[in-house]
Amino acid sequence: GAGVSQTPSNKVTEKGKYVELRCDPISGHTALYWYRQSLGQGPEFLIYFQGTGAADDSGLPNDRFFAVRPEGSVSTLKIQRTERGDSAVYLCASSPGQGIDTQYFGPGTRLTVL
Amino acid sequence: AQSVTQLGSHVSVSEGALVLLRCNYSSSVPPYLFWYVQYPNQGLQLLLKYTSAATLVKGINGFEAEFKKSETSFHLTKPSAHMSDAAEYFCAVSEFGGYNKLIFGAGTRLAVHP
């Protein structure tokens, strides 16, 4: 079956612009996670959704970052007034439910802020 | 708070040689531990996970890891390296609070030479 997909695969933008990154989880997965991976680092947790609600957004770096999952499936990570330090690979993962379920990761969106 | 340290950002082995990738964790509660592999331009893939059952965990592609509480370690091994094992490997601990929030190490890039 289809895995987690993320679009776009690459996004280049200018400092100060607004961007949206999309994640399509595996069908039926209720849990969705966003992580950010900077160059040479491991992924860092950003936000967790269970269904439509953001159950833990403690990893969002500041109020320029926001994520939604209005119908409990597709999620969009939104970044306002982008800064060069936002350049990273943004990873999305989904899992069947709560608990220590395996997370299935998408290929990521590489964001470059010029 | 949990944390993960991966010793050695780059490891190089000969084809057929033993692979040993080191991971030490810090956790105030019994941990859940994971190894993920990342091939170029692909998403993270789960190799294996420890969830407080057997301390020796077998994963995919011939990899295994042993949980050693006294050493706070979860090193990844494979008896005989294949060229196809060349990838980046991440150790992670779960900051489990009803859901699987992963804290990753910085990663180890494995090179396999003929």
Side-chain angles (χ1 to χ4, degrees), chain A residues 30-102:
Chain A
T30 62
L32 186 145
Y33 302 78
W34 282 98
Y35 294 85
R36 178 169 72 173
Q37 186 175 15
S38 300
L39 192 63
Q41 301 297 319
E44 292 179 290
F45 170 83
L46 294 177
I47 188 169
Y48 159 69
F49 287 90
Q50 181 59 236
T52 60
D56 182 353
D57 64 358
S58 62
L60 294 178
N62 51 59
D63 62 5
R64 296 186 297 106
F65 288 75
F66 190 71
V68 295
R69 195 185 185 200
E71 298 178 356
S73 178
V74 171
S75 177
T76 304
L77 179 65
K78 308 180 180 195
I79 310 174
Q80 298 178 319
R81 304 183 303 281
T82 52
E83 300 178 356
R84 292 193 180 87
D86 298 336
S87 297
V89 176
Y90 289 81
L91 299 171
C92 176
S94 71
S95 69
Q98 296 174 315
I100 302 294
D101 289 334
T102 296

Side-chain angles (χ1 to χ4, degrees), chain B residues 16-79:
Chain B
L18 171 72
V19 175
L20 171 60
L21 304 182
R22 299 178 186 275
C23 172
N24 288 87
Y25 69 91
S26 170
S27 177
S28 58
V29 297
Y32 298 109
L33 294 158
F34 306 78
W35 276 99
Y36 278 84
V37 60
Q38 188 174 38
Y39 298 103
N41 300 317
Q42 294 186 29
L44 289 158
Q45 180 182 6
L46 181 68
L47 278 177
L48 49 80
K49 64 182 178 182
Y50 168 75
T51 57
S52 75
T55 57
L56 182 62
V57 182
K58 294 188 183 298
I60 62 171
N61 302 338
F63 285 93
E64 63 182 36
E66 186 172 9
F67 171 68
K68 292 187 176 180
K69 183 178 178 180
S70 61
E71 298 177 7
T72 60
S73 69
F74 191 57
H75 302 330
L76 183 70
T77 60
K78 182 174 181 177

